[in-house]
Amino acid sequence: MRLGVLDVGSNTVHLLVVDAHPGARPLPAHSHKADLRLAQLLDGDGAIGPEGVDKLVTVVRRALEAAEDKGVEDLLPFATSAVREARNADDVLARVRAETGVELTVLTGAEEARLTFLAVRRWFGWSAGKLLVLDIGGGSLEIAYGIDEEPDAAVSLPLGAGRLTAGWLPGDPPAPEDVRALRRHVRAQIARTVGEIARFGAPDHVVATSKTFRQLARIAGAARSAEGLYVQRELKRQSVEAWVPRLAGMTTAERAELPGVSEGRAGQLLAGALVAEGAMDLLGVETVEICPWALREGVILRRLDHMGSV
């Protein structure tokens, strides 16, 4: 059947259409995305303002039209941290439902971590052993660890690249004291979770997902996306540490000139790099392998699992 996943994230609203059936890997058929930056549209009280809600309704409506055009039989719509943590989340969800007919399921941070872990486990298989998975989104950082398809630990922290950029790095380029303050904040947050992960022992394989990690890997020399999903891509902590001060000294426009860095994500790349550096350092990780599957694929795989068990 043809499935659609509608991901209302902190940075983008992304419709992924796949051809899938239980027991087979989902084959991408169409991708439709819009940069919305919900994490940056929150007002001083933590609510998504009227303009942001209007934009969200419009984007969801267009994504729904695209899904219908592509023959999607089953749409799986969900929202992550920006909607989850908005003070007026219930009102936003009700407005989307009333004006588009789409019922957004709001995932918890732990659910995000578990579904991303499932996607990574299916991509690498059982031979990967104990997996540690890191995912930096627009609104949150997810960390998951385990040896099965369900992780032993699943943690979500409010350390998304978009959220941190909006709240901590107002300058372009940012002031050095702001960068240092954000670095301290990121490491203090991550340090609280280290014990929860470390008690399970050293992982056999460390994997990173998300646009932030892919862009960092690309500027550090990894293969271009045009070379395909199955090319191995890695990112070393040493490379991230070398790039952080360089990114801190660049304007958004200068970062957008780097290989693999989109104009829309260039402003968040420094904050994302600080999170990646902090997570890898505090968790004792020297190298991560980049996985092309993440949360959206995890949602699809869970749906296929449920179909197969009926």
Side-chain angles (χ1 to χ4, degrees):
M1 68 184 303
R2 180 156 280 196
L3 292 174
V5 174
L6 181 59
D7 175 1
V8 178
S10 298
N11 280 319
T12 61
V13 176
H14 190 168
L15 170 71
L16 177 64
V17 177
V18 300
D19 291 319
H21 64 269
R25 65 185 178 91
L27 295 173
H30 178 71
S31 178
H32 173 94
K33 67 175 68 174
D35 286 330
L36 192 57
R37 313 244 174 262
L38 277 179
Q40 298 177 30
L41 294 175
L42 299 178
D43 62 24
D45 295 325
I48 300 174
E51 181 184 358
V53 180
D54 288 343
K55 289 180 178 178
L56 175 59
V57 167
T58 298
V59 168
V60 169
R61 187 179 289 123
R62 288 174 181 165
L64 186 60
E65 292 169 356
E68 292 172 354
D69 289 345
K70 297 299 177 182
V72 168
E73 299 174 57
D74 191 5
L75 184 67
L76 311 173
F78 67 89
T80 55
S81 64
V83 172
R84 178 172 69 235
E85 295 165 17
R87 185 176 54 80
N88 60 337
D90 290 342
D91 293 337
V92 173
L93 295 169
R95 171 98 182 272
V96 171
R97 180 173 58 249
E99 297 198 24
T100 69
V102 172
E103 183 89 40
L104 288 171
T105 298
V106 180
L107 299 180
T108 67
E111 286 172 333
E112 282 191 60
R114 287 196 292 268
L115 288 165
T116 301
F117 185 89
L118 172 64
V120 172
R121 170 60 74 194
R122 294 281 177 90
W123 180 268
F124 286 103
W126 298 114
S127 64
K130 292 180 288 186
L131 280 174
L132 173 61
V133 177
L134 309 175
D135 179 81
I136 302 171
S140 58
L141 162 71
E142 274 71 50
I143 304 171
Y145 181 102
I147 195 167
D148 297 317
E149 291 198 335
E150 184 71 19
D152 297 307
V155 176
S156 180
L157 299 172
L159 297 177
R163 175 202 298 269
L164 296 178
T165 300
W168 293 80
L169 300 176
D172 188 23
E177 57 268 25
D178 289 338
V179 176
R180 286 195 297 272
L182 177 55
R183 185 178 187 273
R184 288 194 298 271
H185 171 72
V186 164
R187 286 171 175 259
Q189 291 276 318
I190 295 172
R192 297 173 186 171
T193 71
V194 170
E196 184 174 349
I197 304 298
R199 67 192 180 93
F200 293 105
D204 298 310
H205 200 59
V206 185
V207 177
T209 72
S210 74
K211 190 78 167 180
T212 292
F213 273 113
R214 289 199 301 272
Q215 291 186 338
L216 289 171
R218 179 73 186 95
I219 66 174
R224 297 173 301 148
S225 58
E227 294 183 39
L229 294 179
Y230 302 105
V231 175
Q232 186 179 30
R233 295 171 175 88
E234 293 184 340
L235 175 64
K236 297 184 180 299
R237 187 174 83 201
Q238 180 180 347
S239 297
V240 182
E241 291 171 346
W243 269 101
V244 163
R246 295 176 65 181
L247 293 171
M250 292 180 176
T251 63
T252 297
E254 288 170 337
R255 289 183 211 136
E257 297 295 321
L258 295 170
V261 178
S262 63
E263 184 177 351
R265 298 293 183 107
Q268 313 179 7
L269 189 57
L270 172 60
L274 287 168
V275 175
E277 178 193 42
M280 293 175 75
D281 185 14
L282 290 167
L283 291 167
V285 174
E286 294 298 328
T287 304
V288 296
E289 184 170 357
I290 308 300
C291 180
W293 278 7
L295 177 59
R296 284 182 289 274
E297 287 78 11
V299 170
I300 292 167
L301 291 166
R302 180 60 52 81
R303 177 73 175 92
L304 293 174
D305 287 349
H306 288 164
M307 287 170 57
S309 63
V310 173

